[in-house]
Amino acid sequence: MKKGLSDSVKFIALALFLVTLSFNSFAQDISKDPAVISAGEALFNGNCKSCHRVKQKLVGPALAGVETRVPSIDWIKSWVRNPAKVIASGDAYANKLYTEFNKSQMTAFTNYTDDQIMSILAYVKAEAEKPDAPPPGTTSITAGGEGSGIPNSYMNVILVGMIVILLLLLIILGLIITALKKYLDQKDLSAEDNEIINSPYTPGTIFRSTGFVFLIVFIVAAVSFKTVIDGLYSIGIQQNYQPKQPIAFSHKIHAGQYEIDCKYCHTGAIKGKQANIPSPNICMNCHTQIQKGTNTGEGEIAKIYAAIGYDVKTASYTGKQKPIEWVRIHNLPDLAYFNHSQHVNVAGVECQTCHGPVQEMDVVKQYSLLTMGWCIDCHRKTDVNTRGNAYYDKLLELHNGKKAMKVEDIGGLECSKCHY
Ligand code: HEC
Ligand code: HEC
Ligand code: HEC
Ligand code: HEC
Ligand code: HEC
Ligand code: HEC
């Protein structure tokens, strides 16, 4: 009895010891402080993201769970500061990894402090523990095009439904007539009535009947009414406009497959009114090296060289330039004022909320309606992003008592905000 007890005490003590040990060597050091995590996120995005993802292999390994598979946290610190040195020291783990990744060299971050490296690990750990998010564009799009007014497809369904019901009524009436005829005692009827009842059912009589004429007139009127209404609603609206572009540039490849940040090319979106179409200089950051596409070969990329005057053979610029004439897709009339940085920077609205899943489009199309109703609708529904914005602190105070502050509450419905 006594022996059994002391055995289980020993066992528990051992288990506790092991748990603390494992905490000491791995988890204990890695912070869960949101400030540390966000500092790590900035470092990771700025310096590691070009080669690493948290849950996905890229140039280097996926970093999720790295703290549990490397020899020690200290190993990570020396590795990040000087990978070449760790490999040269003959470290078995480093050498195995190095060969596994075809001997590609990781950049050395010589000046990184322990805190900086730990913050990156904190970010990686927090990211790794998040459940997989749905792809962008599937959740946040509430203000998108579809759903404003009666959708076109509903109108069609309603019309077809009405026609089907009318035809069914016609058939049923016909059946009732034949059924009734059987039970009529024709002897009791006058000659005139008999004539009507026995009149033969030829196509001619049907086409000439008032019922049929009425039906045809109704259908023609309904269809033309719908066409006119559709036409009126779509004046100046170019939803789904998807012109062919002079170079077969694909957002699906660049923003989707290679995850290049939208703002890397559309630099204006954070700074000012226009998001801007990138100049060929930006394309050349990568395309001096990448001279051939998987799908289109050399032809399409050669058009960039032609535009900027670049000679691939001599790798020099000729000076002969010919601007690329991209076809503009989104276009508000001059009377309306829209500013990207206000929405992207200040409000923190995602590009996809307004432009749809661009990263899945080979050819960009206009996703949203871009009507006044569309702007207003979102301004009524959307909370103002006041976090970390001192300008809004005062406003929030004045606003206290009410629920969340919507764009409408800061004047987002005033005509003069959007019209000059
Ligand atoms: C130029 C590409 C590149 C950059 C930038 C880069 N890495 Fe790496 N990293 C690699 C490669 C490749 C490996 C695999 C080993 C090798 O081939 O050298 C690796 C391996 C690692 C490992 C070991 C992973 C494991 O599974 O054991 C860690 C940790 C790491 N990198 C952290 C970082 C951090 C932190 C940053 C940013 C501060 C960073 N890396 C930036 C390319 C890069
Ligand atoms: C590698 C550079 C690059 C990246 C990255 C990129 N774009 Fe573009 N974008 C372009 C070019 C070039 C055009 C003009 C040709 C076209 O329409 O495809 C364009 C056009 C557009 C247009 C249509 C503009 C118009 O004419 O109205 C929208 C909207 C757009 N991009 C949004 C995005 C979003 C959102 C992302 C991120 C998911 C993104 N872009 C990422 C280069 C880029
Ligand atoms: C609140 C909605 C909204 C958001 C968010 C938004 N856009 Fe736009 N975007 C528009 C509207 C509206 C236009 C048409 C502007 C015009 O014609 O003046 C436009 C036009 C564009 C154009 C065409 C060129 C230009 O500057 O007019 C590009 C490229 C573009 N957006 C890219 C982006 C990118 C990249 C992001 C994210 C960083 C983004 N947009 C975020 C609504 C939005
Ligand atoms: C950050 C790097 C980067 C930038 C900037 C960039 N590209 Fe690319 N581009 C790529 C990569 C990577 C590929 C894929 C090559 C492949 O298919 O193997 C590619 C492929 C292409 C292709 C061929 C697609 C195919 O599959 O055939 C075209 C055309 C192209 N880019 C045009 C452009 C244009 C135009 C710009 C400037 C507006 C641009 N790129 C900017 C990296 C870039
Ligand atoms: C997806 C939602 C959304 C859509 C769509 C949208 N906006 Fe906004 N808009 C916002 C938010 C959020 C703010 C608040 C920004 C801030 O905090 O200053 C804002 C602010 C503004 C402001 C400044 C208002 C003020 O009182 O300071 C103007 C002007 C504006 N939007 C114009 C437009 C126009 C024009 C359109 C349509 C072409 C549009 N917006 C479409 C979300 C949207
Ligand atoms: C949030 C931004 C916003 C606000 C606030 C706003 N408008 Fe507009 N308005 C627009 C946009 C964008 C268009 C262009 C729509 C289009 O091209 O279909 C427009 C178009 C118009 C038009 C032209 C009609 C047409 O179909 O071309 C008139 C008139 C107009 N607005 C009047 C007003 C008045 C009056 C107010 C104040 C009660 C107001 N707007 C408030 C964004 C706004």
Side-chain angles (χ1 to χ4, degrees):
M1 242 333 238
K2 215 168 172 208
K3 194 163 178 292
L5 190 73
S6 75
D7 265 355
S8 48
V9 168
K10 264 187 217 158
F11 176 77
I12 291 171
L14 184 70
L16 276 176
F17 174 70
L18 284 177
V19 168
T20 23
L21 192 74
S22 67
F23 264 103
N24 268 335
S25 49
F26 306 122
Q28 180 219 37
D29 292 339
I30 295 177
S31 165
K32 287 202 158 108
D33 181 355
V36 174
I37 293 174
S38 87
E41 178 176 13
L43 285 173
F44 180 86
N45 286 343
N47 301 293
C48 321
K49 206 178 174 191
S50 46
C51 299
H52 289 287
R53 292 293 139 85
V54 175
K55 293 185 181 170
Q56 197 189 330
K57 192 172 142 186
L58 211 66
V59 181
L63 288 186
V66 65
E67 70 276 10
T68 58
R69 65 174 178 259
V70 295
S72 69
I73 297 270
D74 284 335
W75 182 93
I76 298 184
K77 292 178 186 162
S78 355
W79 171 265
V80 171
R81 290 198 193 107
N82 197 342
K85 192 170 154 201
V86 179
I87 294 169
S89 76
D91 181 279
Y93 180 82
N95 278 284
K96 186 172 143 276
L97 199 65
Y98 186 53
T99 20
E100 200 179 310
F101 281 84
N102 297 323
K103 310 214 157 173
S104 39
Q105 281 288 346
M106 171 167 145
T107 328
F109 298 87
T110 336
N111 298 328
Y112 268 27
T113 62
D114 282 2
D115 283 350
Q116 283 175 314
I117 295 172
M118 291 315 293
S119 72
I120 296 179
L121 287 181
Y123 165 68
V124 167
K125 189 151 194 278
E127 264 319 275
E129 281 163 6
K130 268 190 204 162
D132 284 326
T138 48
T139 48
S140 53
I141 301 159
T142 45
E146 273 106 313
S148 342
I150 302 178
N152 234 344
S153 46
Y154 283 156
M155 287 281 265
N156 284 333
V157 171
I158 291 171
L159 264 182
V160 170
M162 278 164 76
I163 290 172
V164 168
I165 290 173
L166 279 172
L167 285 177
L168 277 179
L169 272 179
L170 215 66
I171 293 170
I172 291 171
L173 282 175
L175 286 176
I176 292 175
I177 290 173
T178 28
L180 281 179
K181 256 202 252 169
K182 274 198 200 141
Y183 297 103
L184 264 181
D185 198 349
Q186 301 194 353
K187 269 173 281 169
D188 297 345
L189 294 174
S190 63
E192 209 177 312
D193 288 343
N194 258 328
E195 198 184 317
I196 293 175
I197 291 172
N198 291 329
S199 67
Y201 258 118
T202 62
T205 51
I206 294 177
F207 287 144
R208 262 178 274 120
S209 69
T210 30
F212 187 80
V213 170
F214 175 76
L215 187 69
I216 292 297
V217 169
F218 176 79
I219 292 176
V220 170
V223 169
S224 17
F225 179 71
K226 180 175 161 13
T227 322
V228 171
I229 290 287
D230 275 359
L232 281 180
Y233 266 121
S234 58
I235 288 176
I237 296 182
Q238 300 197 325
Q239 192 179 19
N240 294 327
Y241 177 52
Q242 189 175 33
K244 194 171 177 301
Q245 297 290 348
I247 298 181
F249 173 83
S250 164
H251 280 80
K252 195 170 163 188
I253 292 176
H254 291 84
Q257 197 180 338
Y258 287 94
E259 299 186 41
I260 305 171
D261 187 8
C262 311
K263 287 164 244 163
Y264 180 85
C265 291
H266 299 292
T267 48
I270 22 176
K271 286 183 238 151
K273 180 175 180 305
Q274 303 282 358
N276 288 343
I277 302 298
S279 75
N281 289 325
I282 291 182
C283 314
M284 292 300 280
N285 289 346
C286 300
H287 283 289
T288 43
Q289 305 301 327
I290 304 163
Q291 299 176 348
K292 214 166 133 185
T294 313
N295 305 319
T296 58
E298 291 166 5
E300 294 299 317
I301 293 171
K303 291 183 190 169
I304 308 174
Y305 301 150
I308 198 164
Y310 179 75
D311 188 339
V312 188
K313 286 197 201 83
T314 59
S316 61
Y317 289 91
T318 59
K320 266 185 278 169
Q321 300 199 349
K322 186 171 61 69
I324 307 171
E325 290 177 8
W326 301 112
V327 183
R328 184 163 183 141
I329 303 162
H330 299 76
N331 211 351
L332 287 179
D334 287 342
L335 56 90
Y337 172 81
F338 176 83
N339 186 314
H340 268 94
S341 70
Q342 177 109 44
H343 291 86
V344 175
N345 243 12
V346 185
V349 183
E350 294 287 331
C351 313
Q352 282 83 353
T353 310
C354 297
H355 292 297
V358 174
Q359 72 284 357
E360 289 164 18
M361 300 179 190
D362 270 320
V363 183
V364 185
K365 67 172 184 185
Q366 181 178 320
Y367 175 84
S368 297
L369 278 171
L370 258 59
T371 52
M372 179 164 135
W374 173 74
C375 313
I376 300 271
D377 195 42
C378 181
H379 285 187
R380 284 215 178 102
K381 280 196 276 202
T382 310
D383 293 344
V384 176
N385 173 15
T386 49
R387 232 180 324 132
N389 189 336
Y391 173 79
Y392 285 124
D393 290 349
K394 275 258 154 54
L395 266 177
L396 261 184
E397 251 169 53
L398 295 171
H399 192 77
N400 252 350
K402 269 210 224 166
K403 306 175 297 294
M405 194 161 74
K406 307 276 177 199
V407 184
E408 143 175 58
D409 301 320
I410 58 165
L413 302 191
E414 280 164 27
C415 317
S416 59
K417 287 275 169 73
C418 304
H419 296 292
Y420 303 102

